[in-house]
Amino acid sequence: MFDTTTETPTMFHQPLRLRRTFVVSLALITSALFMPAAHADKPWPVKPIQLVIPYPPGGSADLLGRPLALQLQQQLGQSVVLDYKAGAGGTLASQYVARAQPDGYTLLMVLAAHAINHSLYPKLPYDTRKDFTPVSLVANLPMVVAGSRKLAAKNMNELVQAAKAAPGQLTFGSAGNGNTGHLAAEYFSSMAGIKMTHVPYKGSAGVVNAMLAGDIDLTFDSISTSMPQIRSGHLHALAVTSPQRSALAPEVSTIQEQGIAGFDVTGWYAIIAPAGMPNDIKQRLSREIATALRQPQVQSQLAAGGYEPVGSTPEALQAHIEREITRWSAVVKSTGAKID
């Protein structure tokens, strides 16, 4: 006789426990597999955004970037952190962003120099047309020709006379090789038939400090960074470079008004991202920027610096950059401008 009262339950319960263990383990594995997918499906943004500024703090890009970043931060519910990567006329920052992930978390504030550099630099470490995603044109900003205390000329005609009397002796500073101020001065020199010497700095703040110290004679700089020193009497304004006078300094005449017909250089600022950024993120970011620029507190801050808010579609910015590349390529060729 065999006693099976203890054997039979053991034989049949063991597979049951195994089946239960297998089911629980499979459920845990399945849950783990789907957790990353669920996180990936969360709408952008889910972490802080980096806005790269290609010049040091205190310059025109910084003065525009700060209020814009603060407003975007409020709208998006995520931090927008300014990251300053100055050097090489903005090309270092552009190279950094071109190599970043196109996930909407690395953006770049570019100036007109972004289009100028395409033809000014013989070999760039990126492709201006192919390596970026245009997002939005942010603002326009007139430039002012500012003179230091040691510069006797008070208008552009007197400046031309002084430059012709001593070719190459007058010095002008810019926020870096290839900066809009650099090319604007070269462009003016070509149109006026004069020769001045270029002295590059690493940002607009450096130019203003050099002007105050009397190290250079003049600068073609953004009106936002030079006007405070002009208002205080430390510098004097010779002209603005845009076709119309600036609301920030309506008493200052344009270069065209002073006899150089057709001269038109207006600074512009835009947000771009690495190539390949998803279209839904690109379009949303463009809309968020336009919304930010319509806010009264942002408009008042920009108006105080002379900025003219724009806000555009990605497609409009792409067309704008293409026109600027074509325009400045012709200027670089006609002036013979080179990297110092």
Side-chain angles (χ1 to χ4, degrees), residues 2 10 28 34 39 47 66 93 115 120 130 134 140 150 189 194 212 236 255 263 292 300 312 333:
F2 297 94
T10 302
L28 290 173
F34 280 91
H39 177 76
K47 63 180 182 179
R66 287 178 183 273
L120 187 66
K130 297 180 180 179
N140 293 321
K150 73 173 186 176
S189 297
I194 61 175
L212 296 176
H236 60 271
I255 289 179
F263 189 90
S300 62
S312 74
K333 183 177 180 179

Side-chain angles (χ1 to χ4, degrees), residues 21 24 44 78 88 124-125 143 160 174 230 253 330 336:
T21 303
V24 172
W44 174 92
Q78 289 290 340
L124 288 171
M143 304 180 71
V160 170
S174 80
I230 292 172
S253 60

Side-chain angles (χ1 to χ4, degrees), residues 200-219:
Y201 293 85
K202 289 186 177 181
S204 294
V207 178
V208 172
N209 289 335
M211 293 275 288
L212 296 176
D215 296 334
I216 53 178
D217 293 300
L218 67 144
T219 183

Side-chain angles (χ1 to χ4, degrees), residues 33-230:
L33 288 174
F34 280 91
M35 281 177 65
H39 177 76
D41 288 341
K42 289 183 179 179
W44 174 92
V46 296
K47 63 180 182 179
I49 298 167
Q50 178 188 29
L51 176 56
V52 178
I53 304 294
Y55 297 97
S60 60
D62 182 36
L63 297 178
L64 173 60
R66 287 178 183 273
L68 177 63
L70 182 60
Q71 181 59 38
L72 286 176
Q73 181 170 298
Q74 295 176 7
Q75 294 175 196
L76 298 173
Q78 289 290 340
S79 298
V80 179
V81 182
L82 299 186
D83 186 3
Y84 304 91
K85 296 187 182 299
T91 62
L92 292 181
S94 295
Q95 180 181 5
Y96 171 82
V97 173
R99 295 178 178 178
Q101 290 296 317
D103 53 10
Y105 295 102
T106 305
L107 309 174
L108 175 64
M109 171 82 75
V110 293
L111 288 68
H114 181 70
I116 294 172
N117 290 340
H118 178 79
S119 56
L120 187 66
Y121 284 80
K123 188 175 182 180
L124 288 171
Y126 55 83
D127 189 308
T128 307
R129 289 187 171 100
K130 297 180 180 179
D131 290 345
F132 301 97
T133 298
V135 177
S136 177
L137 184 62
V138 176
N140 293 321
L141 181 65
M143 304 180 71
V144 63
V145 184
S148 67
R149 285 179 172 178
K150 73 173 186 176
L151 181 68
K154 302 303 179 185
N155 56 55
M156 300 307 285
N157 290 321
E158 292 179 1
L159 177 66
V160 170
Q161 293 173 8
K164 287 184 175 180
Q169 295 300 304
L170 289 179
T171 56
F172 72 92
S174 80
N177 284 311
N179 180 267
T180 314
H182 173 200
L183 264 291
E186 297 284 10
Y187 186 30
F188 174 80
S189 297
S190 176
M191 294 183 71
I194 61 175
K195 174 65 177 176
M196 299 188 293
T197 299
H198 178 220
V199 182
Y201 293 85
K202 289 186 177 181
S204 294
V207 178
V208 172
N209 289 335
M211 293 275 288
L212 296 176
D215 296 334
I216 53 178
D217 293 300
L218 67 144
T219 183
F220 284 59
D221 198 11
S222 63
I223 199 167
S224 62
T225 52
S226 291
M227 278 310 297
Q229 300 299 334
I230 292 172

